[in-house]
Amino acid sequence: MSDLQTLPVLPLRDSVLFPGIAMPIGAGRPATLKAIEAALAHPERRILVLSQRQNVDEVTPELLHSVGTVAALSQVQRGVSGYQLVLHGERRATAVRLQEHEGYLRAVAVEAPEIAREHPSDPAFLALARELRERATDLGRRSGMPEEALQRLIAGFDDPGRFSDFVAAYVEAIAAERQALLETLEVEERMRRVLVHVQRQL
């Protein structure tokens, strides 16, 4: 998604979706229902998930952060009060233009690629990655997660950026702090910031 892409927008209140994370949600606002239906009408079933700056029902473009996550929709169930579905975060994107369209918000978006470390084998970078893994493991143990499952989960990540996103999604933080982590494109800096949150929680 290096080129511009037009996507329906799903606004989130008080939460942030990270790439690599699956998030179940319930949607009931009329504009959000129309955005979901627009996404479902497309074979790829993609939607741009943007967090709200304020917890309000009527969302305008000015009330949304511009950096969000492109997500695929799955397990979609329509009920009396709206939709129950799962968002699968795929990649960061920036909304360069937001506008209302047929009763819902639509964005012209461009991918916001991560900025990887030029020399990933640098000892300082490797030490930071190891420290984040160790502290995240400590946090998992403290939460009561079985050791074998915890080790298997941690070992499943070989990409530092994806691992920092995973930890950012589950560490205790308010929505504004999570949004700041989502907007931190430089992987090394994001790892440092996530580590601060983990250490604070420990």
Side-chain angles (χ1 to χ4, degrees), residues 34-89:
K34 289 181 179 178
I36 291 170
E37 286 160 3
L40 293 174
H42 195 278
E44 293 189 343
R45 294 160 65 116
R46 298 293 190 278
I47 201 161
L48 179 62
V49 180
L50 297 175
S51 294
Q52 297 179 202
R53 297 179 185 275
Q54 300 172 23
N55 187 351
V56 295
D57 286 334
E58 297 294 326
V59 182
T60 60
E62 299 75 31
L63 292 176
L64 291 172
H65 290 281
S66 59
V67 177
T69 301
V70 175
L73 306 182
S74 72
Q75 299 178 35
V76 181
Q77 294 183 327
R78 182 76 197 249
V80 177
S81 59
Y83 280 106
Q84 296 292 324
L85 54 93
V86 177
L87 301 170
H88 292 271

Side-chain angles (χ1 to χ4, degrees), residues 12 15-23 49 51 67-72 87-93 114 161-171 173-184 190 194 197:
L12 279 185
S15 58
V16 175
L17 177 67
F18 287 89
I21 299 299
M23 175 188 287
V49 180
S51 294
V67 177
T69 301
V70 175
L87 301 170
H88 292 271
E90 295 184 342
R91 56 194 177 274
R92 285 169 170 79
E114 290 187 331
R162 275 296 164 101
F163 183 66
S164 63
D165 281 342
F166 171 75
V167 179
Y170 292 104
V171 76
I174 62 173
E177 293 171 327
R178 293 188 201 277
Q179 180 66 30
L181 294 173
L182 184 71
E183 293 178 6
T184 306
R190 191 187 326 137
V194 172
H197 284 287

Side-chain angles (χ1 to χ4, degrees), residues 9 39 99:
V9 171
Q99 59 192 26

Side-chain angles (χ1 to χ4, degrees), residues 114-153:
E114 290 187 331
I115 303 169
R117 179 68 183 254
E118 188 175 348
H119 302 290
S121 58
D122 179 78
F125 182 76
L126 292 176
L128 175 62
R130 187 167 56 249
E131 176 77 2
L132 180 56
R133 282 179 177 269
E134 289 174 355
R135 297 290 78 76
T137 301
D138 291 343
L139 200 57
R141 288 195 187 105
R142 183 171 290 191
S143 69
M145 193 172 182
E147 185 68 25
E148 184 179 342
L150 179 60
Q151 293 299 336
R152 192 165 57 245
L153 178 64

